[in-house]
Amino acid sequence: MRLTLVGTGYVGLVAAVCFAKLGHDVIAVDREPIIRGLQENKLNIWEPQLEQELADVSAKGNLRFETDVVKASADADALMVAVGTPTRPDGHTDLGHIHEVLAQLMQSTTCPPFVIIKSTVPVGTCDELEASLLAAGLHTEVVFNPEFLRQGSALNDFMEPDRIVFGCKTPQAETLLRELYDGIEAPIHVCERRSAELVKYASNAFLAMKISFANMMSDVCEGYGADIRHVMSGVGADRRIGPEFLSAGVGYGGSCFSKDLQALLTTGKLIGRSLPLLEAVAKVNDQRIPRMIAKLISLWGNPLGKRLCVLGISFKPNTNDVRDAPFLTLLAQCERHGIEVQAYDPVVRQVGAKTVKVLESPYTAAATADAVLIMTEWPQFAELDWPYLLHLMRQPLVLDGRNLLPSGVISQIVDVVKAVYVPVGRPMECSLSAREESL
Ligand SMILES: NC(=O)c1ccc[n+]([C@@H]2O[C@H](COP(=O)([O-])OP(=O)(O)OC[C@H]3O[C@@H](n4cnc5c(N)ncnc54)[C@H](O)[C@@H]3O)[C@@H](O)[C@H]2O)c1
Protein backbone atom coordinates (compact mmCIF):
# COMPACT_ATOMS: atom_id res chain seq x y z
CA MET A 1 0.00 0.00 0.00
CA ARG A 2 1.16 3.57 -0.69
CA LEU A 3 0.85 5.54 2.53
CA THR A 4 1.66 9.20 3.10
CA LEU A 5 2.12 10.08 6.75
CA VAL A 6 2.21 13.68 7.96
CA GLY A 7 4.04 14.45 11.21
CA THR A 8 7.26 12.66 12.13
CA GLY A 9 7.22 13.14 15.90
CA TYR A 10 7.13 10.44 18.57
CA VAL A 11 4.04 8.82 17.02
CA GLY A 12 4.44 9.65 13.32
CA LEU A 13 8.05 8.57 12.90
CA VAL A 14 7.52 5.31 14.76
CA ALA A 15 4.38 4.60 12.69
CA ALA A 16 6.20 5.47 9.44
CA VAL A 17 9.10 3.14 10.26
CA CYS A 18 6.78 0.31 11.36
CA PHE A 19 4.46 0.56 8.33
CA ALA A 20 7.55 0.59 6.11
CA LYS A 21 8.82 -2.50 7.96
CA LEU A 22 5.49 -4.18 7.23
CA GLY A 23 6.29 -3.69 3.52
CA HIS A 24 4.23 -0.60 2.68
CA ASP A 25 5.59 2.18 0.52
CA VAL A 26 5.67 5.10 2.96
CA ILE A 27 6.34 8.79 2.37
CA ALA A 28 6.69 10.77 5.60
CA VAL A 29 6.07 14.52 5.59
CA ASP A 30 7.14 17.16 8.07
CA ARG A 31 8.60 20.65 8.12
CA GLU A 32 11.80 21.44 6.21
CA PRO A 33 14.45 21.29 9.01
CA ILE A 34 13.03 18.05 10.44
CA ILE A 35 12.92 16.37 7.04
CA ARG A 36 16.45 17.55 6.22
CA GLY A 37 17.65 15.88 9.43
CA LEU A 38 15.73 12.66 8.74
CA GLN A 39 17.15 12.41 5.23
CA GLU A 40 20.57 12.35 6.87
CA ASN A 41 19.27 9.84 9.43
CA LYS A 42 19.42 12.50 12.18
CA LEU A 43 16.51 12.25 14.61
CA ASN A 44 15.36 14.99 16.93
CA ILE A 45 13.56 12.45 19.12
CA TRP A 46 15.18 9.67 21.09
CA GLU A 47 13.58 6.25 21.22
CA PRO A 48 15.40 2.93 21.67
CA GLN A 49 16.29 1.21 18.33
CA LEU A 50 14.52 3.88 16.26
CA GLU A 51 17.66 5.24 14.59
CA GLN A 52 18.75 1.79 13.42
CA GLU A 53 15.26 0.76 12.24
CA LEU A 54 14.94 4.06 10.36
CA ALA A 55 18.28 3.47 8.62
CA ASP A 56 17.18 -0.08 7.66
CA VAL A 57 13.81 0.85 6.10
CA SER A 58 15.29 3.92 4.38
CA ALA A 59 18.08 1.78 2.88
CA LYS A 60 15.47 -0.67 1.55
CA GLY A 61 13.63 2.25 -0.08
CA ASN A 62 10.39 1.62 1.83
CA LEU A 63 10.47 4.99 3.57
CA ARG A 64 11.07 8.34 1.90
CA PHE A 65 10.70 11.91 3.09
CA GLU A 66 8.98 14.98 1.69
CA THR A 67 7.96 18.45 2.83
CA ASP A 68 5.02 18.97 0.46
CA VAL A 69 1.81 17.19 1.54
CA VAL A 70 0.08 17.50 -1.84
CA LYS A 71 3.06 16.20 -3.80
CA ALA A 72 3.64 13.38 -1.29
CA SER A 73 0.02 12.24 -1.37
CA ALA A 74 -0.63 12.52 -5.11
CA ASP A 75 -0.56 8.72 -5.67
CA ALA A 76 -1.26 7.58 -2.10
CA ASP A 77 -3.95 5.06 -1.17
CA ALA A 78 -4.31 6.84 2.16
CA LEU A 79 -3.00 9.86 4.00
CA MET A 80 -2.32 9.44 7.71
CA VAL A 81 -2.13 12.49 9.99
CA ALA A 82 -0.01 12.26 13.17
CA VAL A 83 0.63 15.92 13.97
CA GLY A 84 0.43 17.38 17.48
CA THR A 85 -2.90 18.33 19.10
CA PRO A 86 -1.88 20.44 22.13
CA THR A 87 -4.19 22.13 24.61
CA ARG A 88 -5.08 25.78 24.05
CA PRO A 89 -4.94 28.16 27.05
CA ASP A 90 -8.78 28.03 27.21
CA GLY A 91 -8.67 24.24 27.71
CA HIS A 92 -9.87 23.36 24.21
CA THR A 93 -7.80 21.16 21.91
CA ASP A 94 -5.79 23.05 19.33
CA LEU A 95 -6.50 21.36 16.00
CA GLY A 96 -4.49 23.99 14.10
CA HIS A 97 -1.85 21.54 12.82
CA ILE A 98 -4.51 19.18 11.45
CA HIS A 99 -6.38 22.05 9.79
CA GLU A 100 -3.12 23.24 8.25
CA VAL A 101 -2.57 19.81 6.66
CA LEU A 102 -6.15 19.62 5.35
CA ALA A 103 -5.97 23.20 4.05
CA GLN A 104 -3.02 22.16 1.88
CA LEU A 105 -5.06 19.24 0.49
CA MET A 106 -8.03 21.53 -0.17
CA GLN A 107 -5.89 23.77 -2.36
CA SER A 108 -5.43 20.85 -4.70
CA THR A 109 -8.17 19.16 -6.67
CA THR A 110 -7.24 15.64 -5.63
CA CYS A 111 -7.00 13.91 -2.30
CA PRO A 112 -6.36 10.28 -1.34
CA PRO A 113 -9.64 8.36 -0.87
CA PHE A 114 -8.97 7.95 2.85
CA VAL A 115 -7.57 10.37 5.43
CA ILE A 116 -6.63 8.48 8.59
CA ILE A 117 -6.42 10.62 11.73
CA LYS A 118 -3.89 9.13 14.14
CA SER A 119 -3.54 12.26 16.26
CA THR A 120 -5.68 12.24 19.41
CA VAL A 121 -8.73 14.41 18.66
CA PRO A 122 -11.93 15.35 20.53
CA VAL A 123 -15.13 13.46 19.82
CA GLY A 124 -16.81 14.68 16.63
CA THR A 125 -13.59 15.97 15.01
CA CYS A 126 -13.48 13.37 12.23
CA ASP A 127 -17.10 14.18 11.26
CA GLU A 128 -16.17 17.87 11.05
CA LEU A 129 -12.98 17.26 9.07
CA GLU A 130 -14.83 15.08 6.56
CA ALA A 131 -17.55 17.72 6.16
CA SER A 132 -14.96 20.43 5.47
CA LEU A 133 -13.19 18.27 2.88
CA LEU A 134 -16.54 17.59 1.21
CA ALA A 135 -17.38 21.31 1.21
CA ALA A 136 -14.10 21.83 -0.66
CA GLY A 137 -15.19 19.26 -3.23
CA LEU A 138 -13.01 16.41 -1.93
CA HIS A 139 -14.85 13.10 -1.54
CA THR A 140 -12.67 11.49 1.09
CA GLU A 141 -13.59 9.30 4.04
CA VAL A 142 -11.98 10.42 7.27
CA VAL A 143 -11.07 7.48 9.47
CA PHE A 144 -9.93 7.49 13.09
CA ASN A 145 -7.16 5.14 14.17
CA PRO A 146 -5.88 6.09 17.64
CA GLU A 147 -2.37 5.28 18.77
CA PHE A 148 -1.62 3.69 22.16
CA LEU A 149 2.17 3.34 22.03
CA ARG A 150 4.24 4.31 25.05
CA GLN A 151 7.34 6.42 24.52
CA GLY A 152 10.37 4.43 25.61
CA SER A 153 8.96 1.17 24.17
CA ALA A 154 7.24 2.67 21.13
CA LEU A 155 8.48 0.33 18.39
CA ASN A 156 7.59 -2.74 20.36
CA ASP A 157 4.21 -1.35 21.40
CA PHE A 158 3.43 -0.48 17.78
CA MET A 159 4.32 -3.93 16.44
CA GLU A 160 2.74 -5.81 19.37
CA PRO A 161 -0.19 -3.71 20.55
CA ASP A 162 -2.86 -4.90 23.01
CA ARG A 163 -5.48 -3.86 20.46
CA ILE A 164 -5.96 -1.82 17.32
CA VAL A 165 -8.98 0.48 17.04
CA PHE A 166 -10.59 1.51 13.75
CA GLY A 167 -13.26 4.21 13.77
CA CYS A 168 -14.77 4.17 10.29
CA LYS A 169 -17.99 4.57 8.32
CA THR A 170 -17.68 2.17 5.41
CA PRO A 171 -16.53 -1.43 4.85
CA GLN A 172 -14.02 -0.05 2.31
CA ALA A 173 -12.30 1.96 5.04
CA GLU A 174 -12.19 -1.09 7.31
CA THR A 175 -10.68 -3.20 4.50
CA LEU A 176 -8.02 -0.55 3.88
CA LEU A 177 -7.07 -0.39 7.57
CA ARG A 178 -6.93 -4.18 7.85
CA GLU A 179 -4.57 -4.24 4.88
CA LEU A 180 -2.44 -1.50 6.45
CA TYR A 181 -2.06 -3.45 9.70
CA ASP A 182 -1.66 -6.84 8.02
CA GLY A 183 1.27 -8.55 9.75
CA ILE A 184 0.49 -7.22 13.23
CA GLU A 185 -1.17 -9.77 15.51
CA ALA A 186 -3.68 -8.00 17.73
CA PRO A 187 -7.42 -7.92 18.38
CA ILE A 188 -9.05 -5.33 16.14
CA HIS A 189 -11.93 -3.24 17.45
CA VAL A 190 -14.04 -1.67 14.74
CA CYS A 191 -16.59 0.96 15.67
CA GLU A 192 -17.99 4.24 14.48
CA ARG A 193 -15.69 7.26 14.60
CA ARG A 194 -17.10 9.05 17.64
CA SER A 195 -16.71 6.00 19.86
CA ALA A 196 -13.17 5.43 18.60
CA GLU A 197 -12.30 9.05 19.39
CA LEU A 198 -13.55 8.50 22.94
CA VAL A 199 -11.72 5.16 23.37
CA LYS A 200 -8.42 7.05 23.21
CA TYR A 201 -9.36 9.71 25.77
CA ALA A 202 -11.06 7.24 28.09
CA SER A 203 -8.00 4.94 28.02
CA ASN A 204 -5.58 7.72 28.97
CA ALA A 205 -7.96 9.07 31.61
CA PHE A 206 -8.24 5.60 33.14
CA LEU A 207 -4.46 5.12 33.24
CA ALA A 208 -3.99 8.55 34.81
CA MET A 209 -6.68 7.60 37.34
CA LYS A 210 -4.75 4.45 38.32
CA ILE A 211 -1.60 6.50 38.92
CA SER A 212 -3.44 9.12 40.96
CA PHE A 213 -5.17 6.37 42.94
CA ALA A 214 -1.79 4.87 43.88
CA ASN A 215 -0.50 8.33 44.78
CA MET A 216 -3.54 9.10 46.91
CA MET A 217 -3.08 5.77 48.74
CA SER A 218 0.62 6.58 49.19
CA ASP A 219 -0.43 9.64 51.22
CA VAL A 220 -2.48 7.33 53.47
CA CYS A 221 0.46 4.91 53.77
CA GLU A 222 2.79 7.74 54.81
CA GLY A 223 0.33 8.79 57.51
CA TYR A 224 0.08 5.28 58.96
CA GLY A 225 3.59 3.85 58.36
CA ALA A 226 2.42 1.32 55.75
CA ASP A 227 4.26 0.52 52.50
CA ILE A 228 2.55 1.55 49.25
CA ARG A 229 4.45 -1.12 47.29
CA HIS A 230 2.96 -3.89 49.40
CA VAL A 231 -0.50 -2.29 49.31
CA MET A 232 -0.49 -1.91 45.53
CA SER A 233 0.99 -5.32 44.80
CA GLY A 234 -1.87 -6.78 46.88
CA VAL A 235 -4.40 -4.63 45.01
CA GLY A 236 -2.92 -5.22 41.54
CA ALA A 237 -2.90 -9.00 42.02
CA ASP A 238 -6.66 -8.86 41.53
CA ARG A 239 -7.15 -9.61 37.82
CA ARG A 240 -10.07 -7.20 37.68
CA ILE A 241 -7.62 -4.41 38.57
CA GLY A 242 -4.22 -5.48 37.19
CA PRO A 243 -0.75 -4.48 38.41
CA GLU A 244 0.17 -1.85 35.79
CA PHE A 245 0.20 1.89 36.51
CA LEU A 246 -0.13 1.42 40.26
CA SER A 247 3.27 2.83 41.26
CA ALA A 248 3.35 5.83 43.55
CA GLY A 249 5.80 8.60 42.81
CA VAL A 250 6.18 12.19 41.67
CA GLY A 251 3.09 11.95 39.45
CA TYR A 252 2.44 11.45 35.78
CA GLY A 253 3.76 13.79 33.11
CA GLY A 254 4.41 13.70 29.40
CA SER A 255 2.60 15.16 26.46
CA CYS A 256 -0.55 13.03 26.73
CA PHE A 257 -2.07 12.43 30.16
CA SER A 258 -2.62 16.02 31.35
CA LYS A 259 -3.56 17.17 27.85
CA ASP A 260 -6.03 14.36 27.23
CA LEU A 261 -7.56 14.67 30.69
CA GLN A 262 -8.07 18.39 30.08
CA ALA A 263 -9.58 17.69 26.66
CA LEU A 264 -12.04 15.22 28.15
CA LEU A 265 -13.02 17.69 30.89
CA THR A 266 -13.66 20.32 28.20
CA THR A 267 -15.62 17.77 26.15
CA GLY A 268 -17.85 17.21 29.19
CA LYS A 269 -18.30 20.95 29.77
CA LEU A 270 -19.44 21.44 26.16
CA ILE A 271 -22.47 19.25 26.89
CA GLY A 272 -22.99 20.65 30.40
CA ARG A 273 -21.51 17.66 32.25
CA SER A 274 -18.84 17.94 34.90
CA LEU A 275 -16.52 14.95 35.22
CA PRO A 276 -15.57 15.14 38.93
CA LEU A 277 -13.60 11.91 38.94
CA LEU A 278 -11.21 13.34 36.35
CA GLU A 279 -10.94 16.63 38.22
CA ALA A 280 -9.82 14.66 41.28
CA VAL A 281 -7.27 12.71 39.21
CA ALA A 282 -5.65 15.97 38.07
CA LYS A 283 -5.79 17.43 41.59
CA VAL A 284 -4.02 14.45 43.19
CA ASN A 285 -1.35 14.66 40.49
CA ASP A 286 -0.88 18.40 41.02
CA GLN A 287 -0.19 17.77 44.73
CA ARG A 288 2.84 15.52 44.09
CA ILE A 289 5.61 18.07 43.59
CA PRO A 290 4.45 20.42 46.39
CA ARG A 291 4.46 17.38 48.71
CA MET A 292 7.99 16.51 47.64
CA ILE A 293 9.17 20.09 48.25
CA ALA A 294 7.41 20.10 51.64
CA LYS A 295 9.34 16.93 52.60
CA LEU A 296 12.61 18.57 51.60
CA ILE A 297 11.84 21.71 53.56
CA SER A 298 10.86 19.73 56.65
CA LEU A 299 14.22 17.95 56.49
CA TRP A 300 16.32 21.00 55.64
CA GLY A 301 14.61 23.71 57.64
CA ASN A 302 15.34 26.82 55.60
CA PRO A 303 15.54 25.90 51.87
CA LEU A 304 17.10 29.20 50.76
CA GLY A 305 20.50 28.61 49.13
CA LYS A 306 20.24 24.81 49.36
CA ARG A 307 21.46 22.81 46.39
CA LEU A 308 19.38 19.94 45.01
CA CYS A 309 20.77 17.28 42.70
CA VAL A 310 17.99 15.92 40.47
CA LEU A 311 18.45 12.59 38.70
CA GLY A 312 16.17 12.35 35.68
CA ILE A 313 14.68 15.12 33.55
CA SER A 314 12.56 13.29 30.95
CA PHE A 315 9.01 12.44 32.01
CA LYS A 316 9.82 8.72 31.87
CA PRO A 317 12.85 6.54 31.12
CA ASN A 318 14.04 5.72 27.58
CA THR A 319 12.89 8.99 26.06
CA ASN A 320 14.29 12.50 25.74
CA ASP A 321 10.79 13.99 25.94
CA VAL A 322 10.46 16.70 28.60
CA ARG A 323 6.97 17.89 27.61
CA ASP A 324 4.96 18.32 30.81
CA ALA A 325 7.66 16.46 32.74
CA PRO A 326 7.26 16.64 36.56
CA PHE A 327 10.85 17.94 36.52
CA LEU A 328 9.66 21.24 35.03
CA THR A 329 7.12 21.75 37.83
CA LEU A 330 9.82 20.87 40.37
CA LEU A 331 12.19 23.37 38.81
CA ALA A 332 9.64 26.21 38.99
CA GLN A 333 8.91 25.44 42.65
CA CYS A 334 12.58 25.16 43.57
CA GLU A 335 13.13 28.56 42.00
CA ARG A 336 10.33 30.01 44.15
CA HIS A 337 11.95 28.63 47.31
CA GLY A 338 15.48 29.74 46.38
CA ILE A 339 16.71 26.15 45.87
CA GLU A 340 19.51 25.72 43.34
CA VAL A 341 19.10 22.74 40.97
CA GLN A 342 21.83 20.72 39.29
CA ALA A 343 20.48 17.89 37.18
CA TYR A 344 21.59 14.86 35.24
CA ASP A 345 19.71 12.75 32.71
CA PRO A 346 21.12 9.94 30.55
CA VAL A 347 19.74 11.50 27.34
CA VAL A 348 18.40 14.99 28.03
CA ARG A 349 21.20 17.51 27.70
CA GLN A 350 19.29 20.79 28.01
CA VAL A 351 15.93 22.02 29.23
CA GLY A 352 15.97 25.61 28.05
CA ALA A 353 15.64 27.02 31.59
CA LYS A 354 18.39 29.27 32.91
CA THR A 355 17.86 28.20 36.51
CA VAL A 356 19.14 24.66 36.08
CA LYS A 357 22.60 23.31 35.42
CA VAL A 358 22.40 20.09 33.36
CA LEU A 359 25.59 18.16 34.03
CA GLU A 360 27.39 15.41 32.15
CA SER A 361 27.45 12.86 34.97
CA PRO A 362 25.35 12.00 38.02
CA TYR A 363 28.43 12.46 40.17
CA THR A 364 29.14 16.02 39.01
CA ALA A 365 25.45 16.80 39.50
CA ALA A 366 25.66 15.49 43.08
CA ALA A 367 28.82 17.40 44.01
CA THR A 368 28.18 19.72 47.01
CA ALA A 369 24.41 19.06 46.88
CA ASP A 370 22.30 19.11 50.04
CA ALA A 371 20.00 16.36 48.77
CA VAL A 372 19.56 14.12 45.75
CA LEU A 373 16.10 13.51 44.28
CA ILE A 374 15.34 10.68 41.84
CA MET A 375 12.72 12.06 39.45
CA THR A 376 12.74 9.54 36.58
CA GLU A 377 12.99 5.75 36.93
CA TRP A 378 15.97 5.29 34.60
CA PRO A 379 17.13 1.79 35.65
CA GLN A 380 20.80 2.85 35.55
CA PHE A 381 20.22 5.12 38.57
CA ALA A 382 19.90 1.99 40.72
CA GLU A 383 23.37 0.89 39.50
CA LEU A 384 25.23 4.08 40.50
CA ASP A 385 28.04 3.99 43.02
CA TRP A 386 25.76 5.41 45.71
CA PRO A 387 28.27 5.53 48.58
CA TYR A 388 30.65 7.52 46.34
CA LEU A 389 27.87 9.80 45.08
CA LEU A 390 26.74 10.54 48.64
CA HIS A 391 30.32 11.15 49.71
CA LEU A 392 30.46 14.01 47.15
CA MET A 393 27.45 15.75 48.68
CA ARG A 394 27.25 18.31 51.47
CA GLN A 395 24.48 16.30 53.13
CA PRO A 396 23.71 12.59 52.49
CA LEU A 397 19.96 12.93 51.92
CA VAL A 398 18.22 10.81 49.27
CA LEU A 399 14.64 11.43 48.13
CA ASP A 400 13.53 8.55 45.96
CA GLY A 401 10.63 10.00 43.99
CA ARG A 402 10.12 6.71 42.14
CA ASN A 403 10.85 4.12 44.86
CA LEU A 404 13.64 2.97 42.55
CA LEU A 405 16.53 1.98 44.81
CA PRO A 406 16.66 -1.72 45.73
CA SER A 407 16.74 -2.72 49.38
CA GLY A 408 20.45 -3.73 49.21
CA VAL A 409 21.47 -0.22 48.13
CA ILE A 410 19.19 1.37 50.71
CA SER A 411 20.64 -0.60 53.62
CA GLN A 412 24.17 0.11 52.39
CA ILE A 413 23.65 3.88 52.21
CA VAL A 414 21.69 4.03 55.45
CA ASP A 415 23.96 1.77 57.54
CA VAL A 416 27.37 2.54 56.05
CA VAL A 417 27.13 6.09 54.70
CA LYS A 418 24.57 7.16 57.36
CA ALA A 419 22.37 8.67 54.67
CA VAL A 420 18.72 9.52 55.22
CA TYR A 421 16.53 7.77 52.64
CA VAL A 422 13.08 9.20 51.94
CA PRO A 423 10.89 7.12 49.60
CA VAL A 424 7.27 7.72 48.53
CA GLY A 425 4.44 6.08 50.47
CA ARG A 426 6.80 4.20 52.79
CA PRO A 427 8.55 5.06 56.02
CA MET A 428 11.76 7.03 55.78
CA GLU A 429 14.95 5.09 56.60
CA CYS A 430 17.96 6.33 58.52
CA SER A 431 20.61 4.90 60.84
CA LEU A 432 19.99 4.71 64.58
CA SER A 433 22.50 7.50 65.19
CA ALA A 434 20.80 9.79 62.65
CA ARG A 435 17.46 9.06 64.32
CA GLU A 436 18.86 9.86 67.76
CA GLU A 437 20.34 13.11 66.40
CA SER A 438 16.96 14.19 65.04
CA LEU A 439 15.25 13.58 68.43
N1 LIG B 1 3.61 10.89 22.24
C1 LIG B 1 2.87 9.84 22.55
O1 LIG B 1 3.26 8.98 23.32
C2 LIG B 1 1.49 9.68 21.94
C3 LIG B 1 0.84 8.46 22.07
C4 LIG B 1 -0.41 8.30 21.47
C5 LIG B 1 -0.99 9.36 20.79
N2 LIG B 1 -0.35 10.56 20.70
C6 LIG B 1 -0.98 11.63 19.92
O2 LIG B 1 -0.36 11.64 18.63
C7 LIG B 1 -0.27 12.99 18.15
C8 LIG B 1 1.19 13.33 17.85
O3 LIG B 1 1.92 13.26 19.04
P1 LIG B 1 3.52 13.32 19.06
O4 LIG B 1 3.94 13.14 20.45
O5 LIG B 1 4.06 12.42 18.00
O6 LIG B 1 3.74 14.85 18.59
P2 LIG B 1 5.10 15.54 18.18
O7 LIG B 1 4.96 16.95 18.56
O8 LIG B 1 6.26 14.73 18.67
O9 LIG B 1 5.12 15.43 16.58
C9 LIG B 1 4.27 16.15 15.74
C10 LIG B 1 5.01 16.38 14.42
O10 LIG B 1 4.09 16.95 13.50
C11 LIG B 1 4.78 17.92 12.73
N3 LIG B 1 3.82 18.85 12.13
C12 LIG B 1 2.95 19.69 12.76
N4 LIG B 1 2.23 20.37 11.84
C13 LIG B 1 2.64 19.95 10.63
C14 LIG B 1 2.27 20.26 9.30
N5 LIG B 1 1.32 21.14 9.04
N6 LIG B 1 2.91 19.65 8.28
C15 LIG B 1 3.87 18.74 8.51
N7 LIG B 1 4.26 18.38 9.76
C16 LIG B 1 3.65 18.97 10.81
C17 LIG B 1 5.71 18.58 13.75
O11 LIG B 1 6.78 19.28 13.09
C18 LIG B 1 6.18 17.37 14.56
O12 LIG B 1 7.35 16.80 14.03
C19 LIG B 1 -0.90 13.88 19.23
O13 LIG B 1 -2.25 14.07 18.92
C20 LIG B 1 -0.79 13.03 20.49
O14 LIG B 1 -1.76 13.34 21.44
C21 LIG B 1 0.89 10.74 21.24
Side-chain angles (χ1 to χ4, degrees):
M1 181 186 296
R2 285 161 305 186
L3 177 73
T4 298
L5 204 156
V6 190
T8 60
Y10 289 92
V11 168
L13 189 59
V14 169
V17 166
C18 292
F19 285 132
K21 256 182 95 163
L22 289 169
H24 299 299
D25 182 7
V26 182
I27 302 180
V29 181
D30 208 304
R31 310 213 189 266
E32 168 72 29
I34 297 177
I35 291 301
R36 212 178 319 121
L38 288 169
Q39 281 165 336
E40 291 163 18
N41 209 41
K42 282 193 203 124
L43 284 70
N44 62 347
I45 62 173
W46 194 86
E47 182 65 38
Q49 282 101 47
L50 187 57
E51 198 173 339
Q52 185 55 52
E53 297 280 8
L54 173 65
D56 290 352
V57 287
S58 303
K60 283 190 188 132
N62 286 26
L63 176 58
R64 288 169 292 142
F65 296 101
E66 244 303 336
T67 51
D68 184 329
V69 174
V70 174
K71 202 169 137 197
S73 58
D75 298 317
D77 297 305
L79 174 82
M80 180 173 273
V81 182
V83 295
T85 48
T87 311
R88 288 191 330 219
D90 63 3
H92 289 260
T93 302
D94 183 352
L95 296 173
H97 295 302
I98 296 185
H99 289 146
E100 196 186 325
V101 175
L102 294 206
Q104 283 168 275
L105 290 176
M106 286 177 203
Q107 280 168 7
S108 116
T109 46
T110 55
C111 178
F114 299 97
V115 168
I116 306 165
I117 303 295
K118 199 163 237 333
S119 304
T120 304
V121 293
V123 58
T125 300
C126 288
D127 289 355
E128 286 165 18
L129 296 176
E130 190 176 279
S132 59
L133 285 168
L134 190 61
L138 299 172
H139 295 265
T140 293
E141 180 171 345
V142 176
V143 177
F144 187 60
N145 169 223
E147 184 48 58
F148 300 98
L149 61 77
R150 293 163 300 175
Q151 288 173 226
S153 54
L155 286 162
N156 201 48
D157 289 351
F158 195 94
M159 296 306 278
E160 292 173 27
D162 290 337
R163 80 301 209 187
I164 300 169
V165 175
F166 300 157
C168 46
K169 267 191 347 188
T170 64
Q172 289 83 345
E174 183 185 335
T175 305
L176 173 111
L177 284 164
R178 284 187 185 275
E179 197 188 318
L180 184 61
Y181 279 92
D182 191 24
I184 295 183
E185 295 283 321
I188 291 178
H189 290 252
V190 186
C191 56
E192 80 299 350
R193 295 184 298 208
R194 287 181 180 236
S195 300
E197 286 164 335
L198 280 174
V199 168
K200 176 63 195 172
Y201 281 112
S203 300
N204 271 358
F206 197 86
L207 293 172
M209 183 180 76
K210 285 185 90 176
I211 295 173
S212 278
F213 183 79
N215 279 325
M216 179 193 75
M217 289 308 299
S218 80
D219 293 345
V220 179
C221 288
E222 282 181 13
Y224 283 91
D227 187 329
I228 188 67
R229 296 168 309 169
H230 300 154
V231 174
M232 284 302 137
S233 71
V235 170
D238 185 326
R239 272 178 296 170
R240 294 168 302 176
I241 298 171
E244 308 271 359
F245 282 74
L246 287 181
S247 299
V250 292
Y252 57 75
S255 66
C256 291
F257 280 5
S258 292
K259 163 178 92 72
D260 293 352
L261 216 59
Q262 181 55 55
L264 199 45
L265 284 165
T266 304
T267 298
K269 262 192 209 135
L270 289 174
I271 50 161
R273 299 286 158 89
S274 70
L275 307 175
L277 187 56
L278 301 190
E279 281 165 13
V281 169
K283 190 172 165 192
V284 170
N285 201 57
D286 290 346
Q287 291 166 345
R288 295 307 101 194
I289 298 298
R291 281 186 66 83
M292 194 54 84
I293 299 273
K295 277 183 193 173
L296 260 176
I297 294 177
S298 76
L299 289 154
W300 275 341
N302 184 2
L304 193 66
K306 293 281 187 191
R307 203 168 280 167
L308 178 65
C309 162
V310 180
L311 297 183
I313 295 174
S314 57
F315 81 98
K316 64 185 291 195
N318 294 317
T319 181
N320 63 344
D321 195 355
V322 296
R323 289 178 293 182
D324 248 329
F327 175 85
L328 300 176
T329 314
L330 177 87
L331 196 59
Q333 299 197 12
C334 282
E335 200 178 325
R336 209 168 308 138
H337 288 282
I339 302 167
E340 209 180 293
V341 175
Q342 18 192 71
Y344 167 77
D345 187 281
V347 296
V348 180
R349 290 283 165 260
Q350 54 184 33
V351 278
K354 288 195 193 92
T355 49
V356 57
K357 277 192 214 144
V358 181
L359 293 143
E360 288 295 312
S361 107
Y363 304 105
T364 38
T368 67
D370 298 286
V372 53
L373 166 56
I374 301 173
M375 280 295 281
T376 314
E377 61 272 49
W378 284 97
Q380 51 268 57
F381 291 160
E383 312 289 324
L384 295 176
D385 183 344
W386 277 94
Y388 173 64
L389 185 140
L390 290 163
H391 161 79
L392 299 168
M393 293 169 55
R394 273 203 295 236
Q395 204 178 328
L397 173 58
V398 182
L399 277 87
D400 190 348
R402 297 289 184 177
N403 287 336
L404 179 82
L405 295 191
S407 54
V409 173
I410 299 168
S411 29
Q412 188 189 20
I413 62 173
V414 166
D415 298 337
V416 182
V417 190
K418 310 289 178 219
V420 175
Y421 175 77
V422 187
V424 175
R426 297 149 54 192
M428 161 174 136
E429 291 190 38
C430 59
S431 66
L432 197 58
S433 54
R435 209 168 300 144
E436 277 161 2
E437 243 174 63
S438 71
L439 287 174

